[in-house]
Amino acid sequence: MNRGSYYLKPDVVAEPLVDGWYAWAHLIPPATFSRNLTERHLKIIESYIESPETHEAAVKDPKLLGGPFMDLRQRRVEDVRKLRERTLRERSHLISLSRDIEALDRLLREKAAGFSLEPLYAEVPQALRGYVELVYDLNNQPSFRLIEPLLYKSPFYNCQLQAIALSEISSDDRPFVLSTPRLEDDHGLHLQIPFASERLDALFRMKREPSALNAIRDALDLGNGHDSRFQSLLTAEPPPPYVAYDGDAARWRYFGHACILLETRGVNVLLDPVLSYTYESDISRYTYDDLPDVLDYVLITHNHQDHILFETLLQLRHRIRQIVVPRSSGGALQDPSLKLLLKQCGFQNVMEISEMEEIAFPGGSITALPFLGEHGDLNVLTKSAYLLRTGKHKLLFAADSCNISPEIYRHVHREVGDVDALFVGMECDGAPVSWIYGPLLTQRLERQKDHSRRLAGSNYERALGMVEQFRCKEVYVYAMGQEPWLNHVMSIKYTEKSNPIIHSNRLMETCQNRGITAERLFGEKEILLH
Ligand SMILES: [Fe+2]
Ligand SMILES: [Fe+2]
């Protein structure tokens, strides 16, 4: 297999890892990573060592899907013990950072009583010195903001912890990523390459452009030991050619969950890229093979792992002209800047957008609209719905926006007018706030409070409120986490009795009774606009 040119096989999974854990967005910024390291990873590790049988049973229980249990497929206590020792030994500075975030919160609780905060700078815990500004809100509640760009330049950010694990898959079955470390040996070929490296672009270009084996081997700096394993991931067979839309209006295609490609003759826009690889399945779907070679705009709605997925984004990076992200609040621990985060990961053209801002493109525009709730009442600004205009068509992608204050969309409607098609997420139960944000909370949140603050999208009434407000002619329920190729980031299994299904069924029925096209998307869908 030394001669000729090769492509990367379409069933090769490329999992980005940080320190052996699946790289979701909170594992990139040093502060959120340090908190997840001590409050999620080490706790799961301890619990597994103590009782591996509990974890083995829990991952088989559908009621506990997405819980803090390792899905290792076989007992690996010794390996997990080694992981704990390595983590404690080699990540001690990140453990200190996490402890010092707790200590700073404690300091502010105890000593910031409305008087000047200036004397407290001398007491800021060591790891955070020079990386925080202390502030009050207008109710004299103290907090701090992180100087995020400096933290990325500090020893707390180490791109050498980043790696890509390559392996082939043949089904949708993958372990849940937030709670299962990727131990060496069980996930194919681990390439110790920082995410920002152009070497990854060279690798992922091979999905469509062939490369000589020697050239890619040199580019990736592969040692001889990896040769046969790497070669098994390549094929001489070219992928099917991509047939772009060439009509006069537009075409959209649903790739699963919140991932939708809108193509006009000149411009294409991809929302919340989360893609399936290509392999045999009973569920028909679009995959990486069904994307154009150039993506003019990639839009990210919010910073949840089912909407911003590095695994997909890194593989598309070389094709992306512009990636549009919502602006963050600036330094809040729970709201890291997506622009900074993506730039650290090698994305060059990242544009931040604020509510009601617009980007024009030939024949259309993208407008960022308010995205309400769904973040457990934490002050997170990094969330945006998007209104796409193309020709005479207007499509509103609301993602997980929970319409808790319909008056806001009344004001929005006054500005943008009626909408033809609404795409709305209705995961209306939602996980408690601690599911994603628990490691960032430095004081225990009582269970009842935790369960009252949910990461929930719109229910029937709220979604219908949007349909009525924007006088939509078509409604598509999406972002429901039902596609099995999202199991590794979502872990949702609905039954007919699940609220998201009951509420979305009711919405579809009401809409259809009113002559509005309504459908809950699943798998794949194509619509041609005229
Ligand atoms: Fe979400
Ligand atoms: Fe979501």
Side-chain angles (χ1 to χ4, degrees):
M1 201 173 172
N2 273 316
R3 291 159 182 282
S5 293
Y6 297 97
Y7 298 90
L8 190 61
K9 284 184 184 169
D11 63 352
V12 172
V13 178
E15 286 202 332
L17 306 178
V18 175
D19 206 18
W21 292 78
Y22 186 91
W24 62 288
H26 281 196
L27 299 200
I28 311 289
T32 49
F33 177 39
S34 76
R35 293 298 297 164
N36 275 279
L37 191 152
T38 61
E39 307 308 304
R40 192 189 299 274
H41 299 172
L42 280 171
K43 285 185 174 166
I44 293 172
I45 287 172
E46 294 291 351
S47 151
Y48 181 83
I49 292 170
E50 198 168 296
S51 176
E53 57 280 356
T54 306
H55 287 245
E56 286 157 9
V59 295
K60 293 190 192 108
D61 182 348
K63 287 201 280 307
L64 296 174
L65 279 174
F69 304 104
M70 281 195 203
D71 188 359
L72 287 176
R73 310 285 154 109
Q74 50 178 304
R75 197 164 285 190
R76 302 282 294 268
V77 180
E78 258 328 290
D79 291 321
V80 175
R81 222 186 278 277
K82 278 190 205 141
L83 174 65
R84 177 179 65 179
E85 279 156 25
R86 183 178 62 73
T87 306
L88 293 174
R89 192 177 59 241
E90 295 177 10
R91 307 294 163 244
S92 57
H93 62 305
L94 284 163
I95 295 171
S96 301
L97 178 61
S98 173
R99 296 290 163 249
D100 283 359
I101 289 170
E102 263 169 44
L104 180 59
D105 264 348
R106 199 162 50 239
L107 175 78
L108 293 173
R109 268 197 313 275
E110 289 169 1
K111 296 200 175 171
F115 294 98
S116 168
L117 292 167
E118 286 180 25
L120 295 188
Y121 280 91
E123 295 184 50
V124 168
Q126 194 56 41
L128 286 165
R129 293 264 175 108
Y131 296 116
V132 289
E133 183 171 25
L134 309 182
V135 292
Y136 285 118
D137 69 13
L138 293 174
N139 288 312
N140 306 318
Q141 299 294 318
S143 71
F144 61 87
R145 76 172 180 97
L146 298 160
I147 317 293
E148 278 194 273
L150 292 181
L151 275 168
Y152 281 116
K153 304 273 183 227
S154 77
F156 296 117
Y157 183 72
N158 180 3
C159 65
Q160 300 305 324
L161 303 187
Q162 298 171 354
I164 298 283
L166 301 176
S167 60
E168 280 185 86
I169 47 166
S170 54
S171 79
D172 294 321
D173 183 31
R174 291 172 69 183
F176 183 62
V177 298
L178 296 195
S179 48
T180 306
R182 274 39 181 162
L183 302 171
E184 291 266 1
D185 300 336
D186 60 359
H187 276 81
L189 182 58
H190 283 230
L191 302 178
Q192 218 62 42
I193 300 178
F195 299 156
S197 170
E198 289 178 6
R199 290 186 285 159
L200 292 181
D201 298 319
L203 174 65
F204 295 130
R205 272 202 181 90
M206 289 179 66
K207 281 187 178 238
R208 299 201 76 82
E209 295 167 28
S211 168
L213 188 56
N214 286 343
I216 187 62
R217 199 163 44 199
D218 291 349
L220 294 178
D221 215 1
L222 284 180
N224 281 347
H226 287 333
D227 251 19
S228 62
R229 248 172 147 183
F230 182 65
Q231 285 182 32
S232 71
L233 306 175
L234 305 181
T235 173
E237 191 181 326
Y242 181 71
V243 182
Y245 172 76
D246 68 349
D248 292 327
R251 171 176 82 185
W252 63 256
R253 283 179 169 180
Y254 173 71
F255 281 68
H257 201 56
C259 182
I260 289 180
L261 174 70
L262 178 83
E263 279 180 283
T264 69
R265 193 194 283 270
V267 176
N268 61 58
V269 182
L270 184 67
L271 291 113
D272 286 349
V274 173
L275 296 171
S276 169
Y277 298 94
T278 311
Y279 40 81
E280 284 291 313
S281 166
D282 294 340
I283 305 169
S284 178
R285 67 193 71 174
Y286 296 116
T287 72
Y288 281 93
D289 285 345
D290 301 297
L291 285 179
D293 288 336
V294 172
L295 296 163
D296 296 296
Y297 294 97
V298 164
L299 310 184
I300 304 294
T301 58
H302 65 301
N303 189 2
H304 286 161
Q305 76 272 12
D306 50 320
H307 298 263
I308 176 163
L309 195 70
F310 288 92
E311 180 177 347
T312 297
L313 285 173
L314 287 172
Q315 294 180 57
L316 299 181
R317 181 171 66 196
H318 63 279
R319 305 191 196 188
I320 299 174
R321 287 220 168 119
Q322 191 85 60
I323 180 160
V324 179
V325 299
R327 193 181 299 280
S328 80
S329 55
L333 178 62
Q334 75 277 7
D335 195 17
S337 158
L338 284 185
K339 181 177 179 181
L340 283 174
L341 195 157
L342 286 167
K343 287 205 151 185
Q344 288 303 319
C345 295
F347 292 82
Q348 299 302 323
N349 303 311
V350 189
M351 184 195 282
E352 277 184 335
I353 193 165
S354 299
E355 289 161 335
M356 305 310 291
E357 270 187 342
E358 186 177 299
I359 300 165
F361 60 76
S365 63
I366 299 160
T367 310
L369 301 184
F371 172 140
L372 314 182
E374 210 253 344
H375 288 64
D377 299 323
L378 291 171
N379 186 12
V380 173
L381 283 195
T382 311
K383 46 186 192 167
S384 179
Y386 292 102
L387 180 73
L388 262 61
R389 273 182 248 241
T390 170
K392 60 185 189 330
H393 300 280
K394 282 197 266 181
L395 292 82
L396 172 53
F397 298 89
D400 295 333
S401 182
C402 183
N403 187 10
I404 38 182
S405 176
E407 293 83 357
I408 294 179
Y409 286 126
R410 198 169 75 226
H411 299 316
V412 169
H413 177 252
R414 227 175 24 237
E415 296 302 312
V416 304
D418 294 350
V419 164
D420 299 295
L422 171 69
F423 296 76
V424 61
M426 294 186 71
E427 213 290 75
C428 56
D429 282 338
V433 63
S434 63
W435 189 59
I436 290 181
Y437 300 99
L440 309 184
L441 303 171
T442 58
Q443 278 190 300
R444 203 175 163 72
L445 186 64
E446 292 152 44
R447 193 183 146 82
Q448 274 183 324
K449 291 180 182 170
D450 186 22
H451 281 250
S452 80
R453 290 166 54 182
R454 307 197 76 90
L455 312 177
S458 286
N459 60 14
Y460 167 75
E461 288 81 12
R462 290 166 175 172
L464 184 63
M466 294 174 83
V467 175
E468 289 174 342
Q469 183 64 67
F470 291 103
R471 302 204 290 182
C472 306
K473 298 196 246 339
E474 295 164 51
V475 177
Y476 300 98
V477 177
Y478 78 147
M480 298 291 272
Q482 283 186 293
E483 286 83 9
W485 56 94
L486 276 116
N487 281 352
H488 63 307
V489 287
M490 288 295 287
S491 283
I492 282 182
K493 287 260 186 304
Y494 298 129
T495 67
E496 282 306 306
K497 293 195 183 111
S498 304
N499 275 323
I501 299 301
I502 293 171
H503 283 246
S504 52
N505 282 346
R506 271 180 73 198
L507 180 75
M508 290 186 289
E509 197 185 310
T510 303
C511 288
Q512 284 155 3
N513 287 341
R514 296 181 189 179
I516 298 168
T517 301
E519 182 178 336
R520 186 171 57 230
L521 299 175
F522 176 74
E524 69 174 27
K525 177 90 182 171
E526 176 184 87
I527 291 278
L528 296 171
L529 305 177
H530 300 286

